[in-house]
Amino acid sequence: MLEHAVTWSKRFDSHKDLVCEAEKADNLLIVAGGWAYRYTCAPDGGRQLTALLVPGDIANLDMLLFERVAYSVRTLTDITVVALPRKQALALVDEYPGIARTFTGLAMIENAIASKWMLSLGRRSAQARIAHLLCEIAIRLGVEGENDITFPFPLRQDQIGDLLGLTNIHVSRTVRQLREDGLIQMCDRVLTIPDVAALRYAAGFDPSYLYMHRHIDAAARPKADAA
Amino acid sequence: MLEHAVTWSKRFDSHKDLVCEAEKADNLLIVAGGWAYRYTCAPDGGRQLTALLVPGDIANLDMLLFERVAYSVRTLTDITVVALPRKQALALVDEYPGIARTFTGLAMIENAIASKWMLSLGRRSAQARIAHLLCEIAIRLGVEGENDITFPFPLRQDQIGDLLGLTNIHVSRTVRQLREDGLIQMCDRVLTIPDVAALRYAAGFDPSYLYMHRHIDAAARPKADAA
DNA sequence: CGGTTCGTTGAGGCCCATCAATCTATGTGG
DNA sequence: CCACATAGATTGATGGGCCTCAACGAACCG
């Protein structure tokens, strides 16, 4: 069913805006391959990334309910995006309650991730922030294993800084320190984590918040009785 | 219809937990009068408030879809809370698509607010953070006017600090500076803003993100055609 | 070869945290 | 009425984490 509704699937270069703040958006955008991020700008020019989008993520969920979104979306790597016109997306939501529930659940998971980011931005040291980010990404990418895990990592240091509220310079110093402590290796857009437990400890990372989706069905099931 | 589903409405003292992280919650909680906040804790004991709840807000929306929520909720003032058992809430959602859409929209607005908080935590000075918070609260409370607006403000300085990632000490100094600059007055749990525009300028505040709810219906209307 | 991007290193300084003390309510019991 | 305790705000001194400015190094590319 979903396939019929797709109007287009398209490739974009890296570092291009897919969505512009305060512009009307007519398509729901789903990241199929590659990375992107949401960001907002302060009037004074300051920039803050507010979400990282990896394959499977929806770039602008709220366009379904709001005419304008309060952020921009920019590609981080070459990327392929699947677009669904609002009208069709809403029709789908209308016809299949499960899809509606899934969309709502996604919005809530994004809230949970945002909460953890707030905790990082407000309370953690630069080292813990970076470590926490890496732990989160490893899980969201579905990387398995506890020792010597390796995965592609296209983020540049200045982008890490924008994500975490740090300058690229300080990111550089902190990454060096993480490397010297033997917690990570980062080169050629590839990250390896020798000891996941150690990095998580340094980050104060608790992965449970990312597994929320496993519970969507469990909690939604009682609905059947009530209906 | 909503009235029939309510099981209880209850008063709580200030500084009590309504929801505990990782505990099962069976009731949707709606703040009827008074203030509360959501917060998460880091393993090392650090605490970060992730949302402020004023009358009309829902404390734990995601309990509808997830068995456990990833935060705690604590009262800030004496508060009255209306509770809706999950089963009944889900039945409502099921029966009235408009309610489902509203809930989803609320989750998205919370995302928008969280994004602005991230921007504050990551990029703004202490003075701008506090000013931004005050601007946001004034709007969420529905306070009208541009000059000499006054409203109750039960937050203590250490709570402002927990919200904004600052120490109570630095909040004290910064509030004094805001007062000396003539931007605010804060005493006896009452806040007055002599010149809203000036405070917004100091905060880099753009109120548009809080008006998203006005557009829910506008964007959802096309659904009717498609159905 | 020159230009650009991205990362690294150094020097200096500011913002804010930390530790510690004081001050003002406000309440409580003798 | 006074001694005492507590909560919240305030002030000072000190230090550190991170920013800013500036320069340099390495890789890539036309």
Side-chain angles (χ1 to χ4, degrees):
Chain A
M1 63 214 183
L2 215 143
E3 297 72 17
H4 289 113
V6 171
T7 41
W8 52 262
S9 158
K10 207 165 165 183
R11 250 197 121 58
F12 292 92
D13 287 341
S14 55
H15 312 302
K16 302 286 173 207
D17 276 337
L18 295 181
V19 174
C20 268
E21 187 163 354
E23 249 183 30
K24 280 195 182 184
D26 297 320
N27 292 292
L28 187 72
L29 301 177
I30 304 167
V31 176
W35 293 29
Y37 58 87
R38 282 201 281 266
Y39 66 97
T40 57
C41 294
D44 68 358
R47 194 174 86 132
Q48 175 69 43
L49 306 210
T50 57
L52 194 61
L53 305 170
V54 300
D57 287 339
I58 295 179
N60 56 346
L61 234 202
D62 36 5
M63 68 80 60
L64 288 178
L65 292 187
F66 304 104
E67 281 188 328
R68 293 166 200 286
V69 293
Y71 49 78
S72 304
V73 176
R74 183 167 295 178
T75 62
L76 196 55
T77 64
D78 287 358
I79 200 173
T80 82
V81 173
V82 174
L84 205 59
R86 174 191 280 125
K87 221 177 183 178
Q88 299 199 31
L90 287 172
L92 271 179
V93 163
D94 226 41
E95 190 166 359
Y96 303 97
I99 293 182
R101 214 153 44 228
T102 301
F103 279 177
T104 306
L106 289 177
M108 291 171 178
I109 290 176
E110 284 192 3
N111 268 327
I113 293 175
S115 296
K116 292 296 177 184
W117 283 27
M118 281 191 254
L119 182 59
S120 278
L121 287 168
R123 289 295 176 203
R124 282 197 247 260
S125 68
Q127 177 158 352
R129 277 185 237 187
I130 294 178
H132 196 277
L133 175 69
L134 302 181
C135 291
E136 179 191 319
I137 291 176
I139 288 190
R140 287 176 62 190
L141 290 179
V143 180
E144 304 283 343
E146 290 297 319
N147 292 303
D148 279 308
I149 68 175
T150 297
F151 51 90
F153 187 80
L155 280 172
R156 276 176 295 141
Q157 292 194 346
D158 62 340
Q159 292 165 333
I160 296 177
D162 280 345
L163 269 168
L164 301 176
L166 302 168
T167 57
N168 58 345
I169 297 169
H170 200 61
V171 170
S172 172
R173 291 190 226 272
T174 309
V175 165
R176 173 164 59 82
Q177 198 180 338
L178 285 170
R179 192 167 42 227
E180 285 172 0
D181 293 351
L183 290 172
I184 61 167
Q185 292 166 41
M186 240 180 96
C187 62
D188 286 337
R189 312 285 102 127
V190 168
L191 181 77
T192 102
I193 305 176
D195 181 347
V196 174
L199 188 63
R200 285 188 182 169
Y201 182 77
F205 181 82
D206 170 11
S208 58
Y209 72 102
L210 288 172
Y211 292 116
M212 290 170 65
H213 58 277
R214 292 197 183 158
H215 299 290
I216 291 188
D217 291 337
R221 197 165 303 130
K223 183 196 61 65
D225 321 330
Chain B
M1 61 216 184
L2 213 142
E3 296 74 15
H4 290 112
V6 172
T7 42
W8 50 264
S9 158
K10 207 165 165 182
R11 252 197 119 60
F12 291 92
D13 287 341
S14 54
H15 313 301
K16 302 287 174 207
D17 276 337
L18 296 182
V19 174
C20 267
E21 186 164 355
E23 248 182 33
K24 280 195 183 185
D26 297 320
N27 290 292
L28 187 72
L29 302 176
I30 305 167
V31 177
W35 293 29
Y37 57 88
R38 279 201 282 267
Y39 66 98
T40 56
C41 294
D44 68 358
R47 195 174 86 134
Q48 175 69 45
L49 306 209
T50 57
L52 194 62
L53 305 170
V54 300
D57 288 337
I58 296 180
N60 57 347
L61 233 202
D62 36 6
M63 67 80 62
L64 289 178
L65 293 187
F66 305 105
E67 280 189 327
R68 294 166 198 287
V69 294
Y71 49 78
S72 304
V73 175
R74 184 168 294 179
T75 62
L76 196 54
T77 64
D78 287 358
I79 198 173
T80 82
V81 173
V82 173
L84 205 59
R86 172 191 282 126
K87 220 176 182 178
Q88 298 199 32
L90 286 171
L92 270 178
V93 162
D94 224 41
E95 189 167 359
Y96 303 95
I99 293 182
R101 213 154 43 230
T102 301
F103 279 177
T104 306
L106 288 177
M108 290 171 178
I109 290 176
E110 284 193 3
N111 265 325
I113 293 174
S115 296
K116 293 296 178 186
W117 282 27
M118 282 190 256
L119 182 60
S120 278
L121 287 168
R123 290 294 175 205
R124 284 196 247 260
S125 69
Q127 177 157 352
R129 277 186 237 187
I130 294 177
H132 196 277
L133 175 70
L134 302 181
C135 292
E136 179 191 319
I137 291 175
I139 287 188
R140 288 177 60 192
L141 290 178
V143 180
E144 304 282 343
E146 289 298 318
N147 292 304
D148 278 308
I149 67 175
T150 296
F151 52 90
F153 187 80
L155 280 173
R156 277 175 296 142
Q157 292 192 345
D158 60 341
Q159 293 165 333
I160 297 178
D162 280 345
L163 269 168
L164 301 176
L166 302 167
T167 57
N168 58 345
I169 297 168
H170 199 62
V171 170
S172 172
R173 291 189 226 272
T174 309
V175 166
R176 172 167 57 83
Q177 199 181 337
L178 284 169
R179 191 169 42 228
E180 285 172 2
D181 293 352
L183 290 171
I184 61 168
Q185 291 166 42
M186 240 179 94
C187 61
D188 287 336
R189 311 285 102 125
V190 169
L191 182 77
T192 102
I193 304 176
D195 181 348
V196 173
L199 189 64
R200 286 189 180 169
Y201 182 77
F205 182 82
D206 169 11
S208 58
Y209 72 103
L210 288 172
Y211 291 116
M212 289 169 66
H213 57 277
R214 292 198 183 157
H215 300 288
I216 291 189
D217 290 338
R221 197 166 301 130
K223 184 195 61 67
D225 320 332

